[in-house]
Amino acid sequence: MSDSSRSSFFGANAARTGHFEATGPLAVKRARWKFAPSTPATTRNTPAIHDGVLFANFDNDNLYALDLAKGKELWSVRVGGTAPESLSNPMVAQGLLFVVGGGHCHAVDLDTHALRWSVSCDSEATSSPIVVDDDVYVGTRLGGVVAIDARTGTERWRVQLRCGGSVQSAVSVTREHVIVGTRQDFTEGHLVALDRATGTEHWSVKAGAMSHSGAPAINGSTVYALSGMGKRLRALHLASGKQRWTYETRGALWGTPAVADGVVCFTGDHSILHALDEKTGKERWSVTLDKSPAATVSPAIAGGIVYMGAGNTVYAWTLQDGTERWRWKAPHRVTTAPLIADGTVYVGCDRAVIALA
């Protein structure tokens, strides 16, 4: 199964483990470059990288293509609606740029910069698409999931989830499953597994509300899901949805867990980064942050290091024991999960995208 491994995007892979097959910087003294739109705007979505170009969207409804080496704008495209709104996390595959905005899943041709196709999700869709092989999978705010032919925009299947609620989280995919999180309100929601080929429901379990910045993380035979105001990380069997273990915190949880080398990392509004043993759910270490991370922030892992932003600071810790390797003061509040490629960490802030190396 190909998941566009030549590209880097939110969650690092189709299973959204947040584990990048790359190395990040072991020390940072300065930003290599910073890009900000000419009119002030905020980005809340992790950029995507493909073939020397970084793609970043801002809440002015524009998505910018930047030269990866210098951060200079190459071109931009408007893919939002009639009013400013946050777009989804973008990704690139098969010569197309995929992003949700203005209630549609869009495919933009990288050669012509023109819109190849758009498929309606609903008027407020924000779920981030994932491309695996020839298909795009995306959730809808009205509680559905759509599979689309990546090249033509033809719908393969569309299902309405029986549990109700809204699919605002990013979609995660394995060889056989499509996994999504839903929310009815701030506390109630489900985790649902669908058949990748047909959209038939395999299982659905109550797992708490999953936010629009989150996604299930799938590692091996286990699904890891954060439950928002439910204040829990749940580890579930991929095949059945049965609970393996659960870990409760004192604050709301958001974003997406990052999983690698037997460790699961996650955060929330209680200003703590947790690192648990993947098999037992027991805490290995935790660090208290100077400020609570933004609700759109998640950790990422690369080369045995955990990277994450909180407040105006970007941090790096050793995965196995939580030793701080470095911290860097950003000019604005960090608002996205890190993207890691070729020894560089890319993060979005309230007014800019920054490359740290």
Side-chain angles (χ1 to χ4, degrees):
M1 180 180 71
S2 169
D3 62 358
S4 306
S5 58
R6 292 195 305 116
S7 301
S8 296
F9 51 90
F10 171 70
N13 46 55
R16 309 284 192 188
T17 63
H19 182 203
F20 289 86
E21 298 297 331
T23 57
L26 299 180
V28 169
K29 294 183 179 179
R30 62 183 180 85
R32 196 173 79 198
W33 56 256
K34 180 178 75 171
F35 170 81
S38 55
T39 301
T42 295
T43 180
R44 298 180 179 87
N45 298 297
T46 302
I49 291 173
H50 180 78
D51 197 22
V53 180
L54 181 141
F55 301 92
N57 56 42
F58 288 76
D59 61 6
N60 58 7
D61 276 352
N62 286 330
L63 195 148
Y64 299 86
L66 311 177
D67 175 81
L68 192 61
K70 298 181 179 180
K72 300 296 183 181
E73 182 179 338
L74 301 174
W75 52 271
S76 66
V77 60
R78 182 178 175 84
V79 289
T82 57
E85 62 179 21
S86 286
L87 309 177
S88 74
N89 297 295
M91 77 166 294
V92 176
Q94 301 181 1
L96 297 170
L97 170 67
F98 299 91
V99 65
V100 170
H104 290 73
C105 181
H106 306 283
V108 178
D109 190 296
L110 292 184
D111 291 330
T112 65
H113 315 156
L115 195 65
R116 175 82 64 84
W117 54 256
S118 292
V119 172
S120 176
C121 298
D122 60 57
S123 61
E124 297 181 336
T126 56
S127 173
S128 296
I130 191 75
V131 183
V132 181
D133 298 330
D134 296 326
D135 295 319
V136 186
Y137 303 91
V138 64
T140 76
R141 185 70 72 99
L142 298 180
V145 180
V146 187
I148 307 164
D149 184 291
R151 291 186 174 89
T152 66
T154 303
E155 287 189 24
R156 306 272 200 193
W157 50 257
R158 181 184 290 249
V159 297
Q160 196 70 21
L161 302 181
R162 293 181 295 178
C163 62
S166 175
V167 180
Q168 301 175 35
S169 66
V171 177
S172 304
V173 178
T174 70
R175 186 173 298 277
E176 297 179 352
H177 298 88
V178 173
I179 311 292
V180 296
T182 74
R183 60 182 299 173
Q184 274 78 19
D185 50 34
F186 289 111
T187 58
E188 296 298 321
H190 288 73
L191 200 67
V192 183
L194 305 175
D195 184 275
R196 187 180 154 212
T198 66
T200 302
E201 184 177 301
H202 286 306
W203 51 260
S204 175
V205 297
K206 286 187 176 181
M210 187 171 291
S211 71
H212 72 278
S213 63
I218 310 163
N219 195 38
S221 61
T222 305
V223 182
Y224 301 93
L226 300 176
S227 62
M229 290 297 291
K231 305 178 182 180
R232 283 183 171 87
L233 170 68
R234 288 178 170 85
L236 308 173
H237 284 271
L238 174 60
S240 65
K242 292 183 178 179
Q243 186 168 286
R244 285 185 162 167
W245 52 258
T246 183
Y247 183 90
E248 186 172 1
T249 67
R250 66 172 186 262
L253 301 174
W254 50 53
T256 303
V259 191
D261 301 328
V263 183
V264 185
C265 300
F266 61 99
T267 192
D269 75 344
H270 57 317
S271 304
I272 296 175
L273 176 70
H274 300 273
L276 309 186
D277 185 280
E278 188 180 359
K279 292 183 178 179
T280 66
K282 303 297 183 182
E283 186 168 273
R284 285 198 180 185
W285 55 265
S286 64
V287 292
T288 300
L289 307 166
D290 292 340
K291 291 186 177 180
S292 176
T296 47
V297 163
S298 302
I301 300 170
I305 305 294
V306 185
Y307 300 92
M308 194 182 77
N312 286 52
T313 305
V314 182
Y315 299 88
W317 303 272
T318 302
L319 176 62
Q320 293 302 322
D321 60 14
T323 300
E324 186 176 309
R325 301 298 296 269
W326 54 262
R327 63 172 64 189
W328 184 81
K329 199 71 172 178
H332 312 285
R333 183 186 60 155
V334 179
T335 52
T336 76
L339 185 71
I340 303 158
D342 300 324
T344 305
V345 173
Y346 303 89
V347 293
C349 301
D350 269 331
R351 290 290 182 266
V353 173
I354 299 172
L356 303 177

